Amino acid sequence: MANPTRILRVTTTVQKGGAGAHVKALHNAINQVSNFESHLLCPRDRLQENHAVPYAYGRSIANLNFLKTKFIGLDSYFESVWMHHFKKLIPQFDIFHLHHLQGYFFDLRSLKLLCDKNVVLTLHDVWPLTGRCSVLTDCDLWQSHCRHCPRLHVYPSTFIDLSRFLHQKKKELFKSLDRLKVVVLSRYSEELLKKS
């Protein structure tokens, strides 16, 4: 019998919110199929179940990254603990399913490590498409180049505007994924993806 296809689902948490409930339901459903094995990496959770990948110091790291985002503006960029941990996990999995990545744990640079891997990105919000925002309002700069962010107070809030730098890095890093598949959950999300 062939080994099951191993999937690593990466999300901030499965213990609250719509995205968390979606990931948990998908994880449980996939594990009912014998030729797949779904695993959860949720840095903000302390999951005590089979197929949970532990992330030591997740909440402590998230608190430090909150401060880094707030005072330096580097949301989800240059997080060495994440990079070190994630590098070790990559050889163990066949598919990487990325969900809700903001939450002060993820390092965008780790996408480079997945350039020849099967990667699925589910758009639960617009954070992957913008420099820093997870919810859109009347600003459409994300369609070309984020800059002079008018919403620095919105999650993930910051005092320093590095939206242009972060937007450019997201574009570069997501484009570097040779086998990236993007899943949209609505026609509205599909239209936003086309505009980005």
Side-chain angles (χ1 to χ4, degrees):
M1 184 173 181
N3 291 332
T5 300
R6 290 169 55 87
I7 304 167
L8 181 63
R9 297 183 193 289
V10 181
T11 191
T12 305
T13 179
V14 293
Q15 295 178 336
K16 63 180 183 176
H22 173 262
V23 175
K24 183 74 172 185
L26 187 58
H27 167 75
N28 290 337
I30 289 292
N31 279 333
Q32 301 302 313
V33 181
S34 62
N35 53 338
F36 287 94
E37 190 176 286
S38 178
H39 297 260
L40 292 171
L41 176 55
C42 310
R44 290 238 171 147
D45 298 340
R46 296 205 191 285
L47 300 176
Q48 302 296 320
E49 62 179 70
N50 286 339
H51 304 297
V53 177
Y55 185 66
Y57 314 112
R59 290 182 185 170
S60 301
I61 295 299
N63 290 338
L64 288 173
N65 283 330
F66 166 79
L67 294 173
K68 182 182 74 181
T69 299
K70 192 76 167 170
F71 294 102
I72 303 175
L74 283 175
D75 171 41
S76 299
Y77 200 81
F78 200 77
E79 178 18 63
S80 58
V81 174
W82 169 261
M83 287 289 280
H84 177 74
H85 185 68
F86 198 58
K87 275 183 191 177
K88 291 180 179 179
L89 294 174
I90 290 174
Q92 303 172 38
F93 296 95
D94 305 300
I95 299 172
F96 295 83
H97 195 164
L98 309 176
H99 290 271
H100 197 259
L101 300 178
Q102 72 271 31
Y104 310 115
F105 73 92
F106 188 73
D107 189 330
L108 285 165
R109 299 171 308 148
S110 63
L111 293 173
K112 288 189 294 189
L113 305 173
L114 301 175
C115 64
D116 61 345
K117 298 289 185 179
N118 295 307
V119 180
V120 178
L121 171 66
T122 296
L123 287 181
H124 294 279
D125 58 32
V126 295
W127 183 85
L129 308 179
T130 70
R132 49 168 311 282
C133 296
S134 56
V135 177
L136 297 178
T137 55
D138 56 354
C139 176
D140 61 1
L141 292 172
W142 60 274
Q143 294 179 31
S144 56
H145 295 289
C146 284
R147 62 192 178 279
H148 310 300
C149 182
R151 303 184 70 228
L152 295 180
H153 63 286
V154 175
Y155 174 79
S157 65
T158 182
F159 296 125
I160 308 294
D161 182 9
L162 290 181
S163 59
R164 184 180 186 96
F165 170 78
L166 293 169
H167 194 210
Q168 185 60 38
K169 288 301 176 188
K170 284 182 189 178
K171 285 181 177 182
E172 289 171 12
L173 292 165
F174 279 115
K175 283 181 182 177
S176 74
L177 299 174
D178 295 334
R179 294 187 242 164
L180 174 66
K181 302 292 184 226
V182 180
V183 176
V184 294
L185 302 177
S186 67
R187 287 200 175 110
Y188 173 72
S189 294
E190 182 179 15
E191 290 305 311
L192 294 178
L193 182 60
K194 289 176 183 175
K195 291 178 182 178
S196 73

